[in-house]
Amino acid sequence: MSKAITIAQAQRYDAHTIDTVGIPSMVLMERAALATFNNLLNDDYDLNRVVVVAATGNNGGDGIAVARLLKIRNIDVSIYLLGNPDKATEQTQQQLKIARYYQIPFTSDLNDVINATTIIDAIFGVGLSRDVTGDFAAAINAINATDASTVAIDVPSGINADSGATLGVAVVADSTTTMAYNKVGLLTVNGKHHAGTVHVADIGVYAQDHVESIK
């Protein structure tokens, strides 16, 4: 799984895996969360105070699932949620329900982000195509102003996964757990600067030609 793919390819492979192969989106989300969680442990981050900064798309759902895995390990974790949870994707609404069951605290105070020892960036994934503004930009600026280590899920929020360009403002991560294949934008100079160390996680999403070759 050494090749890098574009946004369109990533979206096509996801759709093929869910709609044609039949692996549910929630299963892929759980695998993405577990891969990120394992990289957090293996890379030896300071997990004394972890804050997951999440939005309401599926990238946010990945992060909320990571929060639950940390909570189960008795790690101090909270969620800083951006956006309207009533408009979250179906999978992210399910992750929010699970997080509430586990009584994971939610915060609306950016000082909690600033004072974290490790931050999980789960704001935007590969689908971002517009400049980041408003509360989303404020959260990214807060992340970048901290001394905390930052782990991005799939791509650093604010980075175009095709061009590697910064869309207004972007997270500067220490590491990025990207799903299935690396993204072409993370191989650019700017992409590399923002992504840090890139871990490519096999979550069960493959190119169609790969699937055909093993039938």
Side-chain angles (χ1 to χ4, degrees):
M1 305 240 293
S2 59
K3 74 173 185 177
I5 61 174
T6 64
I7 295 170
Q9 286 174 311
Q11 292 170 337
R12 188 166 68 250
Y13 297 167
D14 279 355
H16 180 78
T17 301
I18 295 164
D19 299 331
T20 303
V21 178
I23 299 175
S25 178
M26 198 68 172
V27 171
L28 300 178
M29 184 174 283
E30 288 294 319
R31 289 178 175 177
L34 185 60
T36 304
F37 171 74
N38 286 335
N39 287 334
L40 272 171
L41 299 185
N42 293 336
D43 287 353
D44 198 29
Y45 287 104
D46 182 348
L47 302 180
N48 280 319
R49 291 186 311 278
V50 181
V51 176
V52 175
V53 183
T56 54
N58 279 353
N59 192 259
D62 294 345
I64 295 164
V66 172
R68 182 224 316 147
L69 295 172
L70 292 166
K71 174 75 171 181
I72 291 169
R73 285 287 192 102
N74 293 315
I75 291 169
D76 182 354
V77 60
S78 59
I79 298 168
Y80 184 92
L81 187 66
L82 292 156
N84 183 352
D86 292 334
K87 296 182 179 179
T89 65
E90 179 183 353
Q91 293 79 18
T92 298
Q93 287 186 4
Q94 185 67 25
Q95 293 293 356
L96 286 167
K97 178 181 178 180
I98 297 168
R100 287 190 288 269
Y101 174 85
Y102 280 99
Q103 299 182 336
I104 300 171
F106 286 77
T107 180
S108 58
D109 188 351
L110 270 179
N111 285 321
D112 290 329
V113 178
I114 292 168
N115 292 323
T117 58
T118 296
I119 297 167
I120 312 301
D121 163 30
I123 306 172
F124 298 117
V126 298
L128 183 67
S129 59
R130 65 190 185 281
D131 279 0
V132 180
T133 60
D135 291 342
F136 299 94
I140 290 174
N141 284 326
I143 291 169
N144 289 342
T146 70
D147 293 327
S149 299
T150 302
V151 175
I153 298 179
D154 214 13
V155 295
S157 294
I159 290 295
N160 181 285
D162 278 347
S163 68
T166 298
L167 298 174
V169 63
V171 167
V172 180
D174 293 280
S175 73
T176 298
T177 300
T178 197
M179 307 310 158
Y181 299 92
N182 203 351
K183 310 303 181 291
V184 293
L186 301 187
L187 300 179
T188 65
V189 172
N190 193 56
K192 287 179 179 178
H193 170 69
H194 283 81
T197 301
V198 175
H199 301 285
V200 179
D202 182 353
I203 63 167
V205 174
Y206 309 114
Q208 288 94 319
D209 57 358
H210 176 81
V211 174
E212 293 300 322
S213 72
I214 60 175
K215 283 184 178 180

